[in-house]
Amino acid sequence: MKIACLHTAQSNVDVFEHAAREVGIPAGTLSHQVMPHLLAQAEAAGGMTPEIEKETIAALAELRTDADVVLLTCSTLGSAANYLAQDPGIVRVDLALAQEAAAARAGGPVVVLCAAPTTIKPTAALFRAVAPNAPLAVELIPGAWDAFKAGQLEAYFAMIAERAQQALDEGAGCVALAQASMAGAKSRITHPKVLTSPHSALHREWTRLQSIFGAQA
């Protein structure tokens, strides 16, 4: 079984490998392609453009030729996966996150935290589509993305963890960390209702693959 990941940040390779170990996925199952220029172009344009979307779709389709599952790990580019939605093997990781958050909120509001400004619009649209009647707040953490881009990961995770804990203290049913790069903040919070896209997507897809390949064995 092969899972290919399309990233826009090199640091997300380690993020997904770490999450895979925690999920129980064997070493060597994941492969990684990093295309940082896609996110850089989206940031320069203020969001997704048809040109960026076209290149992202082509990259996903190419990876799919040699993988059982392809994960699009960049939430800013998530809409590109929608054009390939007829293929269950091409997955935007924040979809699994949104679905888990909707199930986990237990009556309280879902608070979705974002770091990159370009993530706000596609993330809000996705979460509202998954659970249109659930109370929802999508927030940008001021200064977090600047810290990430400057390589100040400890400060980045600290800001995320602080806001996540505040949201829980204020009554959030669950807190979803919208971007894969934010997953490192989870270790700073003991609350079980802090959800991350690498864990949500890898757990769901690994379970699905095991059921498919087990049935074929």
Side-chain angles (χ1 to χ4, degrees):
M1 292 181 278
K2 298 180 180 179
I3 300 175
C5 301
L6 178 60
H7 307 291
T8 54
Q10 181 64 40
S11 57
N12 278 345
V13 173
D14 289 340
V15 169
F16 275 80
E17 287 291 343
H18 178 73
R21 289 191 295 271
E22 293 192 336
V23 170
I25 298 175
T29 301
L30 271 60
S31 64
H32 306 275
Q33 182 168 335
V34 184
M35 302 179 71
H37 70 280
L38 293 175
L39 179 56
Q41 290 172 1
E43 288 186 301
M48 179 71 93
T49 68
E51 293 76 20
I52 298 168
E53 194 167 64
K54 182 178 179 180
E55 185 175 356
T56 305
I57 291 169
L60 292 169
E62 177 63 24
L63 289 171
R64 183 69 169 97
T65 62
D66 193 41
D68 301 297
V69 170
V70 178
L71 300 179
L72 176 57
T73 71
C74 179
S75 50
T76 295
L77 307 181
S79 63
N82 297 342
Y83 286 87
L84 301 167
Q86 73 277 8
D87 183 348
I90 296 179
V91 178
R92 53 185 294 182
V93 297
D94 50 358
L95 174 58
L97 177 67
Q99 292 170 336
E100 184 176 1
R105 69 182 188 86
V110 175
V111 176
V112 187
L113 301 181
C114 304
T118 52
T119 297
I120 289 285
K121 184 177 179 180
T123 296
L126 173 66
F127 275 75
R128 290 191 178 108
V130 169
N133 298 318
L136 174 70
V138 181
E139 302 179 8
L140 184 70
I141 302 175
W145 196 236
D146 289 337
F148 177 80
K149 292 196 291 185
Q152 300 169 353
L153 294 184
E154 289 303 311
Y156 179 59
F157 295 142
M159 285 187 275
I160 296 165
E162 180 181 7
R163 179 58 196 127
Q165 188 61 59
Q166 287 176 347
L168 292 166
D169 293 342
E170 293 164 359
C174 70
V175 175
L177 306 183
Q179 295 166 241
S181 64
M182 304 169 79
K186 183 176 173 64
S187 63
R188 298 170 178 260
I189 310 167
T190 58
H191 200 288
K193 292 294 183 70
V194 177
L195 309 178
T196 70
S197 59
H199 288 80
S200 296
L202 285 171
H203 180 267
R204 188 183 75 173
E205 292 308 310
W206 184 242
T207 300
R208 187 175 68 86
L209 286 178
Q210 285 181 308
S211 67
I212 293 172
F213 281 83
Q216 293 177 350

